[in-house]
């Protein structure tokens, strides 16, 4: 709906690791340092260019998502305004997706105290 803010500085993600993975009935959440991602749209996990798992708000994530825990980030970038790619040292690439033109797909909170909130 709102698209990813391509001017958001993702460099602080590099070197961070996933400290928490939360699953709700309509979202998937995880934290990386000062960044917290709340995803309703979708997340696809790739390993060596091959899709290994997908999450959508109407389903529970597979066990492949546990591979994000304690995994350090080696790169993060916007592929385009609908896809944020986070590459982990384990070889997993997480593609966070803006999947809707009608509803919010994701929120990114940056900062621990009084975070800046980006609504995608």
């Amino acid at each position: 709906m709102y698209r990813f803010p391509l001017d958001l500085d993702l460099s602080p993600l590099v070197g961070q690791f996933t400290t928490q993975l939360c699953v709700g009935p309509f979202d998937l959440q995880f934290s990386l340092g000062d960044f917290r991602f709340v995803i309703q749209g979708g997340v696809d996990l790739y390993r060596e260019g091959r899709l290994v798992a997908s999450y959508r708000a109407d389903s529970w994530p597979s066990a492949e998502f546990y591979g994000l825990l304690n995994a350090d980030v080696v790169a993060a970038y916007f592929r385009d305004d609908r896809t944020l790619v986070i590459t982990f040292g384990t070889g997993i690439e997480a593609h966070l997706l803006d999947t809707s033109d009608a509803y919010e797909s994701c929120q990114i909170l940056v900062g621990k105290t009084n975070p800046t909130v980006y609504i995608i």
Side-chain angles (χ1 to χ4, degrees):
M1 177 176 180
Y2 299 110
R3 308 290 189 257
F4 285 102
L6 300 180
D7 60 344
L8 176 61
D9 181 12
L10 299 174
S11 64
L13 284 171
V14 176
Q16 298 298 320
F17 57 93
T18 308
T19 56
Q20 188 176 47
L21 183 66
C22 302
V23 180
F26 303 107
D27 63 5
L28 177 74
Q29 301 180 27
F30 61 95
S31 300
L32 294 161
D34 283 341
F35 284 74
R36 182 168 163 225
F37 297 91
V38 181
I39 303 134
Q40 297 85 23
V43 179
D44 291 335
L45 298 184
Y46 291 86
R47 185 183 299 278
E48 298 177 1
R50 186 175 60 87
L51 181 66
V52 294
S54 289
Y55 166 79
R56 298 297 182 269
D58 59 350
S59 64
W60 291 96
S62 70
E64 290 288 335
F65 280 84
Y66 294 128
L68 299 180
L69 289 170
N70 291 321
D72 60 318
V73 174
V74 296
Y77 62 93
F78 295 106
R79 189 179 75 194
D80 53 45
D81 66 352
R82 294 188 81 127
T83 308
L84 166 57
V85 178
I86 302 173
T87 305
F88 294 88
T90 57
I92 294 175
E93 270 192 2
H95 292 216
L96 284 60
L97 309 171
D98 177 1
T99 59
S100 177
D101 286 325
Y103 301 102
E104 294 175 10
S105 295
C106 176
Q107 296 81 45
I108 302 172
L109 294 84
V110 181
K112 302 275 186 199
T113 307
N114 298 319
T116 300
V117 179
Y118 297 90
I119 298 174
I120 291 80

